[in-house]
Amino acid sequence: MTARPIIEVKGVHKSFGANTVLKDVSVQVEQGEVVVVIGPSGSGKSTLLRCLNGLEKPESGEIRIEDRSLLVAGAAITQIRSRMGMVFQQFNLFPHLNVLRNITLAPVQVRKLEPAKAEELAMSLLGKVGLSEKAGHYPASLSGGQAQRVAIARALAMEPHIMLFDEPTSALDPEMVGEVLAVMKELAAEGMTMVIVTHEMGFAREVGHRVLFMEQGMIVEEGTPQKLFDEPQQERTRAFLSKVL
Ligand code: ADP
Ligand code: MG
């Protein structure tokens, strides 16, 4: 355990033009914690994740990752970001590279791993996500669930300290959701620090240590899954849950 939270967000404001998307958002995530973010469309969930990994820059507030400020990082931002894996709704695999090359590309180019070492790592990660036999296949030949598992393996190949997931199962056919959630559940069990935006409330309850409910750019309520789902304190949380549960 680190002495300080691995992620610290304090008083973050983010606008797009006149549209204020994050309003004074503060949240801390401990090492090994699994935090699930829920909330209606447009509430700022993706923007919060994108701020966490430096894809968006807030106008004010502070974000510290592993005790380093993301907002004043300058050149160090690349290094901080290289230790955060991000998995999106759309898998964004490189279509012209086979599965193995999709996974080894960043380790070789960014981490300067020897190609043989990167391949060894990639094969072990493919085993972990249950896709060893797909190493030589191209993304177009994969199902959505398989492609997303490759995307997770690709993120893990950077040996991240934190994994961010933005609706990783929302684009999948229902029968493929389970295989992706199973991989995420295993990662959580291994102690990976994870922030997950999802509409999978069963998963949130089972795997999440803490759930944040966002609405209109604010964290309205947070708590353990039991507390948030079974005894929501805010009317707005109750209204949202009544629609999705
Ligand atoms: P959520 O992920 O909860 O659905 P988002 O963070 O994607 O919400 O969006 C929150 C608000 O920010 C929305 O009103 C959206 O239109 C706006 N927004 C998000 N990204 C951009 C962008 N790059 N430019 C302008 N507006 C954006
Ligand atoms: Mg979103």
Side-chain angles (χ1 to χ4, degrees):
M1 292 290 276
T2 48
R4 301 189 60 165
I6 189 165
I7 300 173
E8 281 185 284
V9 176
K10 272 197 205 132
V12 159
H13 289 260
K14 173 70 189 169
S15 315
F16 294 105
N19 185 9
T20 305
V21 175
L22 296 177
K23 299 167 192 163
D24 195 21
V25 168
S26 298
V27 61
Q28 300 193 345
V29 179
E30 304 294 330
Q31 177 139 21
E33 203 179 6
V34 178
V35 174
V36 175
V37 184
I38 63 172
S41 178
S43 56
K45 306 180 299 295
S46 293
T47 303
L48 177 60
L49 281 199
R50 292 168 60 81
C51 285
L52 289 182
N53 82 344
L55 285 172
E56 298 284 357
K57 197 169 161 54
E59 284 87 58
S60 60
E62 171 68 313
I63 299 177
R64 298 182 76 79
I65 306 291
E66 298 188 282
D67 214 11
R68 288 186 294 187
S69 173
L70 197 58
L71 307 185
V72 299
I77 196 167
T78 313
Q79 203 201 345
I80 300 174
R81 289 187 59 190
S82 74
R83 290 304 193 168
M84 278 189 284
M86 183 134 178
V87 175
F88 302 88
Q89 185 172 330
Q90 299 303 337
F91 337 112
N92 302 321
L93 297 177
F94 304 112
H96 61 293
L97 298 179
N98 70 21
V99 164
L100 191 73
R101 294 281 165 261
N102 262 277
I103 300 174
T104 57
L105 187 69
V108 169
Q109 293 197 344
V110 183
R111 288 178 62 207
K112 310 294 179 201
L113 238 56
E114 283 172 36
K117 282 269 175 239
E119 279 182 26
E120 202 177 300
L121 173 64
M123 286 311 299
S124 101
L125 290 169
L126 278 175
K128 190 184 175 79
V129 302
L131 291 173
S132 302
E133 77 285 7
K134 296 290 184 187
H137 292 231
Y138 281 79
S141 71
L142 304 177
S143 71
Q146 291 169 342
Q148 193 59 301
R149 285 186 282 151
V150 171
I152 293 172
R154 182 175 61 173
L156 292 174
M158 292 299 284
E159 304 195 319
H161 298 168
I162 298 168
M163 284 287 287
L164 307 174
F165 293 86
D166 194 355
E167 300 198 29
T169 61
S170 292
L172 300 179
D173 291 334
E175 72 271 21
M176 293 169 188
V177 169
E179 66 198 54
V180 172
L181 294 180
V183 168
M184 293 166 63
K185 186 177 169 182
E186 191 186 320
L187 267 185
E190 290 169 1
M192 177 65 79
T193 305
M194 297 160 76
V195 181
I196 305 166
V197 175
T198 186
H199 299 295
E200 295 292 333
M201 299 299 158
F203 175 85
R205 187 187 278 272
E206 191 188 350
V207 179
H209 298 130
R210 193 147 51 99
V211 180
L212 311 181
F213 170 61
M214 283 187 76
E215 194 181 62
Q216 294 181 3
M218 289 176 287
I219 297 173
V220 172
E221 183 167 354
E222 64 173 284
T224 62
Q226 284 70 23
K227 192 157 183 295
L228 195 113
F229 290 126
D230 299 338
E231 306 161 40
Q233 302 298 302
Q234 302 292 326
E235 182 49 42
R236 289 191 284 168
T237 314
R238 283 195 284 273
F240 176 76
L241 291 176
S242 74
K243 284 182 230 156
V244 297
L245 286 182

